[in-house]
Each structure stands twice: as C-alpha cells, then as structure tokens.
Amino acid sequence: MDRVNASTPSASSASPADDPARAAFAALRTPEGEPLLAELRDHDPAQELATATRLRRTHPAELVSAALGQARLRQRAVAKFGAGDAYRMYFTPNGVEQATRTSVATHRAARFAALGVRSVADLCCGIGGDAIALARAGIAVLAVDRDPLTAEVARANAEALGLADLIEVRCADVTEIDASPYDAVFVDPARRGGRGRIFDPEAYSPPLSWATAAALKAPRAALKIAPGVPHEAIGPEAEAEWISDGGDVKEAVLWFGEGFAPGAFRATLLPSGATLTAPAPLPAPPVGPVGRYLYEPDGAVIRAHLVADIVERCGGRLVDETIAYVTSDVPCSSPYVSGYEITDQLPFNMKKLKALLRERQVGVLTVKKRGSAVEPEELRRRMKLSGPNSATVFLTRVAGAPTMLIGHPLG
C-alpha cells in the first residue's frame, strides 16, 4: 500500500493546498476534474502528448497532468481490481503497486466473515483494497493509514464504491490506535522503502514484531507478509497461509486467534479455493529416479513447504532432494500440481537437445527450470525451432546432476 514509514512525522495537520500531491488529487474530485477523468477512461497512452495538448486548451495544465496520471494508474489497476472497480477508484503509484488483488482480499475477508467477525481494524490500509473486500463481506472497517494523501484516496474509494457507511478512514499512526473495540485486526505493514523491497521483516513499517504483538492482543487477527518470509520468522502462535492466484504466489498471511490452527501451514489456490494444510512441518520426502510422470507443485505449495504432501498423494518421490519436482510411475490428478508425461531424459547438453527437437519437428518449446542458470529465452534462441509440434523441456538436477527432461502436459 502507499504509506510513509510509521516513524516519520505526520503531515496530517497540513492542508491539501500546502501539499501539491493532495491539491492535485482534490482537483480531480471537483465538477471540472471528474468529467475530465471520465473522458480519459479509454485514452491511448501512446497518444498522451497530443491528448494533453488538446485538453490544455480548455483546462488548467496542472489538472490535465493530474488527470492523465490518474488515468494511467486506473488502467494499470484493472489487472488487480477489474475494470468495474478500477475505473471508479482512485490510486497512487505505490498504491497500485502494493494494493492487494481483489481475489486475494475477498478470500481473506471470507475467512473472517465465516468466523462471525463483524468489525475489523485495518491498520496500514493503503488505498483501501482490503477494506473494500471486508466491507463487501458485511464487515464494518476502521481503515487507518499515516499518510494523509493515502488516507484521502482510501476515503474517496469507499465513497466511490458506495461503502462509506461501512468504512471509516482515519489518518493516524497505527501504533497509537486502540483496536480493542473490534472483533479482529488486519495489519499490512509497508514492505517497500526508498530503495525498493524490504526483505528483513523487522525493517517493515511497522516491524513484524510490533504487528505480531498487535495481532496477539486481538480476538482474531490477520497479518499480511511477503511470501518469501523465512519460516523461522513465523511464531508458533500463527497459522501461516500462502496464497496463489492463477498459479502466481501473491502473498502470505499469518492468522491468529480463535478458529485458526497455531503452527499449521496452508496453501490456498485461487480462483478454485483449493486448500492444502498440514498441522506442522512435514518430514523430508523420498528421492528417486525420474518416472514416466513429472509434477510441478503450485508455488503456494512450495512456499508453504508442503511438497512432501504432494509426494505422498501422488505415490511418488523427488527427482533431487533440493528440487521441488515430483515424479511417479503412475498418473496423479491433483489441483495442486501441473502434470507432464516425460518422454526423454538427457544429461544437460545443448547440441543433443537441439538435435532431438529438430528430429521431433518442435516449433513451440516451453522451457521450465529449477536448479539451472540457463535463461529460457536464450535457450529458445539457440535451438532455432521449426516445425508443427510442441514440447516442454525441464532444466533441472536429477540426483545432483544437471539434466534435461522433455515431455508434454497431461490432458
């Protein structure tokens, strides 16, 4: 979300006129700004200079610049929020980048609602993506962010989507908020700084330790963290869930309180909602030779360290103790994996692969890799593909040796 660091002084006492960014945003919500923004819904960014020149004949230059910037952000936001919401909402550059995707926020809100949660303190609310999903689940939300512009954007979004009665937006330091009147707490610390992504959980704003302490004080809580968080940073009080959407891992959530399973690990796949759980870390799975079938677990399953569960379900084994490829001698149907039938296994050798692909008349090659430094685009370029057939090549290690596995998707 678009936030300032929790330790920086607040600018909430300043008026919008003293802040150019807030003044530009306020201008967009005027009787002149709103129609201008609506007019730019389908504008072509490639024609932006000509569009700006035309609009500046009848509108102030500052307003045109602000509207064009917001129009670009709305177009980018469609991927996360859908066109129906994105073209009614308002965004900041960081807000678009860091806001929770609607499908993920809806899943999280549904988990809260299923447990009877009726009110949530959303701390570090950003532009309001999670608050919107919570409100649409019938939950009253206190949405808090320290940055004045971000809080104004969140408030505008609640109003634009008809949810102002359920979402109260407050510009404040989240560490000073009394969340005790609420059924649950949701904390989404800032994980970006001036130099980009922050990987140390204690460098989050606020730090992971503060967010965890706040979560433990609430009857129920959810804490959004980066999916790459080290497992050792997760306390035993939390149920940890990794969520993927369309095969891409989007985030991890730590759940606390009644209705959740402390110490458990969970992988959830959207849009299907399939969920794989384990009450504790699983033992290391067996390793063995490549069989007829190869399975690529969903990224959420890998992040949750649940590959051993897939090995057991498929009656298989790993191809290498350090690689998350599962193999078996019989086909396995599971929503948590993508399956392939393997036709060839070769030691890593570019010339041999090129000769095999030419012999098979492969013109379309999908390249997947784990444990290999070869770049897929470079490999495809060197293969000089031609022909009517397609194939998939896995660049990986088998029992520690660089290996190429060739096959095709099941089904």
Side-chain angles (χ1 to χ4, degrees):
M1 284 44 174
D2 186 15
R3 315 176 191 88
V4 294
N5 187 285
S7 64
T8 58
S10 172
S12 58
S13 59
S15 70
D18 298 325
D19 183 337
R22 293 173 69 195
F25 176 66
L28 292 176
R29 305 192 70 208
T30 63
E32 183 179 8
E34 289 181 348
L36 177 59
L37 192 52
E39 180 182 340
L40 289 170
R41 171 181 171 127
D42 299 317
H43 92 288
D44 182 357
Q47 301 298 320
E48 190 162 295
L49 180 59
T51 301
T53 301
R54 174 177 59 82
L55 292 175
R56 284 171 180 160
R57 298 188 187 113
T58 53
H59 299 284
E62 295 82 1
L63 178 59
V64 171
S65 295
L68 284 167
Q70 189 62 222
R72 289 195 300 270
L73 293 175
R74 283 181 166 182
Q75 289 181 345
R76 286 174 54 195
V78 168
K80 283 188 174 181
F81 290 89
D85 283 351
Y87 286 114
R88 292 189 288 164
M89 294 172 65
Y90 298 90
F91 301 94
T92 63
N94 285 344
V96 170
E97 180 71 24
Q98 299 182 52
T100 302
R101 174 179 297 265
T102 293
S103 57
V104 178
T106 299
H107 163 73
R108 186 164 40 236
R111 289 201 75 184
F112 270 138
L115 293 172
V117 169
R118 306 306 301 165
S119 62
V120 170
D122 178 0
L123 307 181
C124 307
C125 68
I127 62 169
D130 282 283
I132 290 166
L134 290 164
R136 284 176 167 166
I139 297 172
V141 185
L142 170 66
V144 184
D145 202 286
R146 187 179 178 87
D147 179 54
L149 174 60
T150 303
E152 289 177 13
V153 171
R155 187 176 295 111
N157 287 335
E159 294 172 0
L161 298 179
L163 299 169
D165 290 344
L166 282 170
I167 301 175
E168 174 195 348
V169 179
R170 191 180 302 175
C171 183
D173 185 336
V174 297
T175 65
E176 299 174 357
I177 294 295
D178 177 14
S180 60
Y182 298 87
D183 295 343
V185 167
F186 172 61
V187 189
D188 183 3
R191 295 178 300 283
R192 280 184 177 273
R195 297 182 179 180
R197 291 187 183 276
I198 297 171
F199 297 99
D200 178 7
E202 283 307 296
Y204 291 174
S205 179
L208 179 61
S209 56
W210 179 91
T212 300
L216 290 170
K217 293 177 184 176
R220 295 184 179 92
L223 170 56
K224 178 179 172 180
I225 56 176
V229 66
H231 278 223
E232 55 268 23
I234 300 171
E237 312 92 344
E239 173 191 304
E241 179 182 28
W242 282 261
I243 304 170
S244 68
D245 189 7
D248 295 327
V249 182
K250 295 302 179 183
E251 66 179 59
V253 188
L254 303 183
W255 297 95
F256 301 83
E258 186 179 353
F260 305 111
F265 293 84
R266 174 188 296 262
T268 298
L269 282 54
L270 301 177
S272 71
T275 296
L276 188 66
T277 61
L282 300 169
V287 180
V290 176
R292 181 175 177 181
Y293 302 98
L294 190 76
Y295 301 97
E296 182 180 30
D298 184 271
V301 173
I302 297 173
R303 292 285 193 179
H305 293 186
L306 296 176
V307 174
D309 189 292
I310 298 299
V311 171
E312 183 176 342
R313 287 168 181 256
C314 293
R317 53 203 175 267
L318 297 181
V319 301
D320 185 280
E321 63 180 5
T322 64
I323 302 293
Y325 282 140
V326 179
T327 186
S328 71
D329 303 309
V330 295
C332 171
S333 177
S334 169
Y336 306 107
V337 300
S338 298
Y340 300 83
E341 183 173 9
I342 299 302
T343 57
D344 300 271
Q345 177 178 344
L346 303 170
F348 182 81
N349 185 298
M350 288 285 199
K351 290 183 178 180
K352 289 184 178 180
L353 177 62
K354 184 176 180 180
L356 185 146
L357 296 176
R358 184 186 300 116
E359 176 187 333
R360 303 277 172 85
Q361 295 185 301
V362 172
V364 178
L365 183 67
T366 300
V367 182
K368 293 180 172 288
K369 67 169 192 170
R370 287 210 175 113
S372 172
V374 177
E375 290 300 324
E377 287 304 321
E378 172 64 12
L379 182 141
R380 271 190 287 263
R381 185 186 66 80
R382 292 178 63 179
M383 292 301 102
K384 298 181 179 179
L385 302 166
S386 177
N389 300 320
S390 61
T392 300
V393 60
F394 295 86
L395 307 178
T396 188
R397 293 193 303 272
V398 173
T403 303
M404 303 181 297
L405 304 175
I406 297 92
H408 55 81
L410 292 175

